[in-house]
Amino acid sequence: MSTSFSVFDVLIDRSKMCSDKWSKYPESVIPMWVADMDFDSPNCIKKALNQRVEEGVYGYTHTPKALVEAIQSHLVKRYGWNVSGTHLVHLPGLVCALHLSVRVFSKEGDGIVVPGPVYYHLTKAPLLADRELTSVGMLVENGRWVPNMAELETACAKSNSKMLLLCNPHNPGGTVYTKAELLAIHKLAEKYDLIVVSDEIHCDLILDDLPHIPFASLNEDAANRTITLMAPSKTFNIAGLGYAFAVIENSQLRQAFNKERAGLIASPNMLGLTAAIAAYEEGQEWHQALLQYLAENRNLLAERLSATPIKMLHLEATYLAWLDVSALGLENPYQFFVDAGVGMSDGKDFGNANFLRLNFGCPKSVLEEAIQRIESALETHQAS
Ligand SMILES: Cc1ncc(COP(=O)(O)O)c(C=O)c1O
């Protein structure tokens, strides 16, 4: 397969695709919110899907051995992580696994520790299940968002704390945790005997030359207390096909998870399975080109925003920039930029209304237009 960067420059009209992203705002607003890119998926995925659709007969389907092998090979190649096929749990999405984990591994009133601002399902999962959400602040250290470790220890030490929900790479903020940082977090999980759910859905979207370290791969104890959640959906833009997987090495935890899952959470559908095999087996070249394109978009955004009062820390991973707009003194920053024609995610949904999250997983020309709209809105605001 040959891929040139121009595939990411192509403008695709998604207005008639029932796209969540493109249905939220009127046509005059560029949607830059939900974590969904405006790029076509790689040809290898389209080819595999077409082939499967052509075959016809769409009955119940189990997970092919080829997918288990493709995942194992992906985890070894990218992270040096050897995972047994029996430790994988195949799922129709990652969010259901977050919610299910909270319900299986804790009981009403138990404390769930969550560093944030963070992707809102990590905080919603404990709240919807009547658990006590123990939020832990994040602070900026050496230009990166990291959990406040003193606060984290206090939270973990609470007598009702049972679980820790981690997002690595972090959404929003894009931190790729280092081994030292992960070991420090693990030390607390071990000391206070917490089950860890590590949402690693963005692990294949690292824009710098940094390794992703699966939390469960740190050591034997981490492997024993961790539910790792991963998916090809963000990386290959196939979220609508509904496929994710969990790695649960501890057989007691895996059995408990599977027991509650049975009958409640559907198996992944065959098109999701088909796409996942193609992505992991054949998508590497496209993936590399994507990372380069996203890094260029990140750099463009960072450079242009550096001339404005909006603050953006260096983003190590994801295509979701976390923008501090507090210096603008706006009453409703989210609405201000929607009115200016840029529909970002409201920081309030992640835990801080002084921030906005901008999705730059789009053609450069679209990003340029959005930046221009932001700059014009700022000029008008500053002049008023
Ligand atoms: C950290 C994180 N976890 C999970 C999800 C969604 O997972 P899924 O679509 O597989 O339910 C997202 C989507 O934005 C995310 O950013």
Side-chain angles (χ1 to χ4, degrees):
M1 187 190 83
S2 79
T3 307
S4 79
F5 282 1
S6 63
V7 297
F8 302 108
D9 285 325
V10 175
L11 297 174
I12 298 170
D13 180 6
R14 302 180 68 188
S15 63
K16 297 194 177 55
M17 294 180 183
C18 294
S19 149
D20 283 350
K21 186 180 186 182
W22 284 83
S23 313
K24 180 166 176 170
Y25 298 108
E27 228 178 275
S28 56
V29 177
I30 304 174
M32 308 195 95
W33 60 291
V34 63
D36 173 328
M37 301 185 287
D38 290 322
F39 307 131
D40 199 3
S41 283
N43 283 334
C44 59
I45 292 183
K46 291 201 288 182
K47 195 169 145 218
L49 288 174
N50 276 325
Q51 224 167 43
R52 182 62 193 89
V53 168
E54 270 303 305
E55 279 167 16
V57 191
Y58 310 124
Y60 296 119
T61 307
H62 61 261
T63 304
K65 198 163 157 253
L67 178 55
V68 172
E69 287 168 1
I71 291 172
Q72 287 175 306
S73 151
H74 177 77
L75 297 179
V76 168
K77 269 193 223 143
R78 290 193 74 87
Y79 316 121
W81 191 28
N82 273 297
V83 167
S84 155
T86 55
H87 296 166
L88 294 174
V89 180
H90 304 275
L91 297 155
L94 204 135
V95 164
C96 59
L98 275 172
H99 287 261
L100 187 69
S101 299
V102 166
R103 285 162 198 244
V104 172
F105 302 120
S106 67
K107 57 181 195 316
E108 234 177 272
D110 281 349
I112 314 288
V113 179
V114 188
V118 70
Y119 175 62
Y120 57 90
H121 274 289
L122 274 82
T123 48
K124 224 171 158 182
L127 292 175
L128 285 178
D130 297 320
R131 276 39 170 184
E132 187 185 298
L133 169 66
T134 312
S135 293
V136 170
M138 309 236 336
L139 40 82
V140 178
E141 248 177 42
N142 301 321
R144 297 159 71 248
W145 290 103
V146 290
N148 179 329
M149 290 304 288
E151 247 188 64
L152 186 64
E153 168 127 37
T154 307
C156 293
K158 277 174 62 175
S159 60
N160 68 338
S161 288
K162 288 285 170 334
M163 295 180 79
L164 168 66
L165 308 188
L166 197 66
C167 188
N168 179 33
H170 192 77
N171 167 22
T175 308
V176 177
Y177 291 119
T178 62
K179 189 161 190 178
E181 286 163 348
L182 291 171
L183 283 171
I185 295 170
H186 168 258
K187 210 166 150 191
L188 296 180
E190 186 178 30
K191 182 169 172 189
Y192 298 106
D193 196 18
L194 306 183
I195 288 180
V196 178
V197 177
S198 189
D199 178 339
E200 303 184 9
I201 197 169
H202 294 284
C203 63
D204 292 321
L205 288 165
I206 298 185
L207 308 180
D208 292 340
D209 187 16
L210 296 169
H212 170 73
I213 302 165
F215 190 85
S217 74
L218 284 174
N219 52 47
E220 206 180 322
D221 181 82
N224 257 319
R225 63 176 68 250
T226 303
I227 289 94
T228 306
L229 304 176
M230 290 180 168
S233 53
K234 297 289 156 201
T235 316
F236 295 95
N237 216 28
I238 50 174
L241 291 171
Y243 175 73
F245 63 92
V247 182
I248 313 178
E249 296 179 63
N250 179 320
S251 63
Q252 269 179 330
L253 298 186
R254 194 172 59 255
Q255 275 163 24
F257 184 89
N258 278 332
K259 187 169 170 231
E260 289 302 312
R261 180 174 71 96
L264 281 180
I265 295 188
S267 304
N269 84 69
M270 76 185 62
L271 296 183
L273 300 168
T274 303
I277 297 172
Y280 288 138
E281 279 186 352
E282 302 172 70
Q284 288 83 353
E285 202 181 323
W286 184 94
H287 181 197
Q288 275 317 109
L290 169 80
L291 293 179
Q292 201 163 334
Y293 195 88
L294 290 177
E296 284 169 17
N297 274 4
R298 173 201 59 188
N299 297 346
L300 171 71
L301 180 67
E303 189 195 321
R304 293 277 285 277
L305 291 185
S306 68
T308 75
I310 298 178
K311 284 194 223 115
M312 169 183 163
L313 295 185
H314 179 74
L315 194 80
E316 295 172 333
T318 80
Y319 47 81
L320 307 162
W322 187 230
L323 309 181
D324 179 351
V325 294
S326 52
L328 303 177
L330 297 167
E331 205 171 298
N332 184 344
Y334 166 75
Q335 195 56 46
F336 174 85
F337 285 103
V338 171
D339 293 343
V342 185
M344 295 179 264
S345 295
D346 193 340
K348 173 161 62 74
D349 299 336
F350 301 86
N352 193 333
N354 277 321
F355 283 74
L356 294 167
R357 195 190 73 172
L358 185 150
N359 174 347
F360 57 81
C362 60
K364 226 161 251 127
S365 58
V366 177
L367 179 61
E368 292 258 12
E369 173 61 29
I371 296 172
Q372 258 162 34
R373 290 183 189 191
I374 291 172
E375 288 168 344
S376 306
L378 292 179
E379 268 171 39
T380 314
H381 176 66
Q382 278 154 359
S384 67

